Amino acid sequence: MSEGIVTSPAGQSPPTGGGARRPGMVLAIVLTLQTMLILDVNVVNIALPDLKGALDFTPTGLSWVLSSYLLAFGGLLLLGGRTGDVIGHRRGMFIGVTVFTLASLLGGLASSAAMLLIARALQGVGAAFAAPTVLALIATHFTDDKSRARALGMYAAVSGSGAAIGLIGGGLLTDLLSWRWVLFINVPIGIVLLIAAPMFIRETERKPARFDLGGALTSTVGMTALVYGFIRASESGWSDSLTLASFGLAVVLLALFIFIETHAKQPITPLRLFADRNRATGYLSLLFVMAAGNAMFFFLTQFLQEVRGFTPIQAGLAFVPLAVLILAASSIAAKVLPKAGPRVLTAVGAAAISVGLIWFAQITPEADYASALLGPMLVAGLGMGTLLVGVTTILMSGVAPEESGAASGLLNVMQQIGGALGLAIMVTVFGVASRGAQDDVPAGLDAKGSADFVLTEGVTTAFAWGAGFTALTILLTLIMRSVPMGGGETETDPEETASPAQEAPTP
């Protein structure tokens, strides 16, 4: 859920020395890279219960296995994209893949929770530099319409199917080998990429630019402090000195980030993109949805394995219907988009996700997969696929060509940061609800039954809060303006009938 589609600025310069020498190999290399990055979060998700026992993670501390990756990835993603423009996208890919591969090896060898979290953060750094090069290399190596359309179609298929492949792969690796192999698996893939890339991919032209290191560091460290504050609060309370210090540091750093971005000549996050009402509410909507979606995967994985006793393979297969519905719904939504409009799709998708999460919030420790879990999975998957098409259209509509890279990069940042921040909030809710449930355990339950009751109470409370986040998205669609659609058609809006707003064609 947390891995989005990373797009690159329009109008990339052609590769140095001409087009692709062997386009089939170029495509295979970039799609392999995209697959590795897409799979990472979902592969690790399934292994979380095993990780928890092997490295003595607390239930709330376990969320850092995902958050450390997402924060580094999201916080440095725009800097990674800028780096590729400056030093060349093949070099950017080489640096990113090298860091990601070494970090995966370190994580697989981890002997402590701290060592694993450091490795996960380094994986995020590598991903932030590698991910923006995927579409940039497609754009520069496939210059005619037919070959580029084919390459982009295969890219979309890989990105869309990554969730299901990651969940199944994570289950197989954890069950048949060990949790360490969800990290080790990246090492041979990375080595192949590092060997093949110089052989078949030509370097792209370098573009002089400034590196906004201040913006990248203050945003990344500031968000990390904010996430840590929430997770610390779930374990030690809101009055804890370290909790308060974390929130204080987050406020200072994020305020400094805004100051830097408003004064930088080439800011890593162009704040002018938030001046548009639609785009501002769209980014906020995406953040809310990613918050709920990441938490849903995180808590369902633990519920299925720790309460219902699923093996990692069974848990991975259990999520496949949800992943398939996301794919199917996004395909259908793309077809009805011109008639329904992106606001309607966003609102309908958010409503479906809310229904799914409220449904999940009713589960009990005895919940059967077919009768109690499959239904809300299908509804939530339908909503996610529908909403993502709508909100992506809203965010990219009316963007000037020279800002398309920044807008699409920021879209992906919101996905990663939203997932990390939302998971931190949900983990806080889970921790408070779980502690409260310890005093309400029904009489007569054994130790396993009591633990299942407490975990289920925490999980269902988190699901209810997730439904609240997606409900806020529905409200946000009410204040959006109409969005221009292809062929000059627009959504109707009573406010704009009286006073038309300035509109630009959808890129």
Side-chain angles (χ1 to χ4, degrees):
M1 180 74 186
S2 3
E3 300 289 343
I5 296 177
V6 182
T7 56
S8 61
Q12 293 285 354
S13 300
T16 304
R21 284 171 286 185
R22 293 183 61 181
M25 288 302 299
V26 172
L27 187 58
I29 291 168
V30 295
L31 291 182
T32 299
L33 171 58
Q34 178 70 2
T35 301
M36 182 173 71
L37 298 177
I38 285 288
L39 297 184
D40 193 69
V41 170
N42 290 310
V43 166
V44 172
N45 224 328
I46 292 296
L48 288 176
D50 284 49
L51 274 168
K52 179 182 174 183
L55 299 180
D56 296 323
F57 277 100
T58 64
T60 51
L62 191 65
S63 66
W64 278 107
V65 177
L66 300 182
S67 294
S68 57
Y69 175 82
L70 294 174
L71 286 168
F73 189 5
L76 299 175
L77 182 60
L78 294 179
L79 180 65
R82 180 67 56 84
T83 300
D85 289 338
V86 174
I87 69 173
H89 289 105
R90 190 181 71 182
R91 286 188 184 87
M93 171 188 171
F94 197 90
I95 292 171
V97 172
T98 299
V99 174
F100 189 90
T101 302
L102 292 175
S104 297
L105 178 62
L106 177 65
L109 297 172
S111 57
S112 67
M115 185 176 175
L116 177 65
L117 295 182
I118 291 172
R120 288 290 288 163
L122 289 174
Q123 277 190 305
V125 173
F129 284 84
T133 67
V134 175
L135 279 182
L137 290 171
I138 288 178
T140 53
H141 284 74
F142 298 89
T143 53
D144 64 279
D145 291 342
K146 184 176 180 180
S147 65
R148 182 175 294 184
R150 175 176 173 272
L152 290 175
M154 295 184 70
Y155 168 84
V158 165
S159 300
S161 60
I165 297 172
L167 292 166
I168 297 172
L172 287 169
L173 291 170
T174 304
D175 227 13
L176 300 179
L177 298 171
S178 81
W179 65 265
R180 297 182 183 278
W181 279 93
V182 303
L183 296 160
F184 282 148
I185 191 64
N186 294 319
V187 177
I189 299 174
I191 291 173
V192 169
L193 289 173
L194 293 174
I195 293 172
M199 296 172 61
F200 299 102
I201 294 179
R202 296 185 185 275
E203 187 55 277
T204 57
E205 182 181 344
R206 303 184 189 188
K207 298 180 180 179
R210 295 174 181 267
F211 288 106
D212 182 13
L213 293 176
L217 291 176
T218 52
S219 63
T220 303
V221 179
M223 288 303 304
T224 301
L226 184 61
V227 168
Y228 180 78
F230 278 110
I231 294 177
R232 177 76 183 185
S234 71
E235 297 178 330
S236 304
W238 294 96
S239 60
D240 174 71
S241 58
L242 195 51
T243 299
L244 296 175
S246 297
F247 283 129
L249 179 63
V251 170
V252 171
L253 288 176
L254 293 176
L256 182 58
F257 164 71
I258 294 174
F259 176 81
I260 291 173
E261 298 309 280
T262 54
H263 292 80
K265 291 184 178 180
Q266 293 183 359
I268 196 171
T269 306
L271 298 181
R272 62 184 176 275
L273 291 174
F274 291 93
D276 178 82
R277 183 202 298 179
N278 275 11
R279 203 163 296 117
T281 53
Y283 283 131
L284 194 56
S285 296
L286 186 61
L287 188 143
F288 285 149
V289 171
M290 295 307 299
N294 262 30
M296 182 183 73
F297 277 92
F298 178 79
F299 289 116
L300 272 179
T301 297
Q302 295 183 68
F303 178 83
L304 287 171
Q305 295 186 61
E306 296 192 22
V307 177
R308 297 305 301 143
F310 280 37
T311 66
I313 291 178
Q314 290 173 328
L317 292 173
F319 281 105
V320 171
L322 186 151
V324 171
L325 256 292
I326 292 176
L327 271 176
S330 61
S331 177
I332 296 171
K335 294 178 180 178
V336 303
L337 176 64
K339 291 185 178 180
R343 287 187 304 176
V344 172
L345 292 182
T346 301
V348 169
I353 299 171
S354 297
V355 170
L357 288 168
I358 292 171
W359 196 345
F360 275 131
Q362 312 307 311
I363 61 176
T364 65
E366 297 78 25
D368 177 70
Y369 174 77
S371 60
L373 297 174
L374 181 58
M377 274 191 181
L378 296 179
V379 173
L382 181 66
M384 287 178 188
T386 303
L387 179 140
L388 288 175
V389 170
V391 78
T392 301
T393 303
I394 290 169
L395 291 175
M396 297 307 296
S397 292
V399 177
E402 64 271 15
E403 292 185 342
S404 61
S408 58
L410 193 54
L411 182 154
N412 287 277
V413 170
M414 284 294 174
Q415 286 185 310
Q416 313 306 328
I417 297 298
L421 181 58
L423 183 57
I425 295 172
M426 300 298 187
V427 164
T428 303
V429 171
F430 168 84
V432 172
S434 297
R435 286 196 298 273
Q438 291 174 357
D439 298 326
D440 300 321
V441 176
L445 292 179
D446 58 13
K448 175 66 166 60
S450 298
D452 290 349
F453 175 83
V454 170
L455 189 144
T456 303
E457 287 296 303
V459 165
T460 53
T461 304
F463 285 147
W465 274 68
F469 277 134
T470 52
L472 289 175
T473 298
I474 302 174
L475 297 178
L476 287 173
T477 62
L478 299 178
I479 63 174
M480 292 180 181
R481 295 192 181 98
S482 66
V483 179
M485 302 302 298
E489 299 176 2
T490 62
E491 298 178 83
T492 57
D493 188 313
E495 177 184 333
E496 294 188 12
T497 302
S499 178
Q502 290 184 333
E503 298 174 344
T506 304

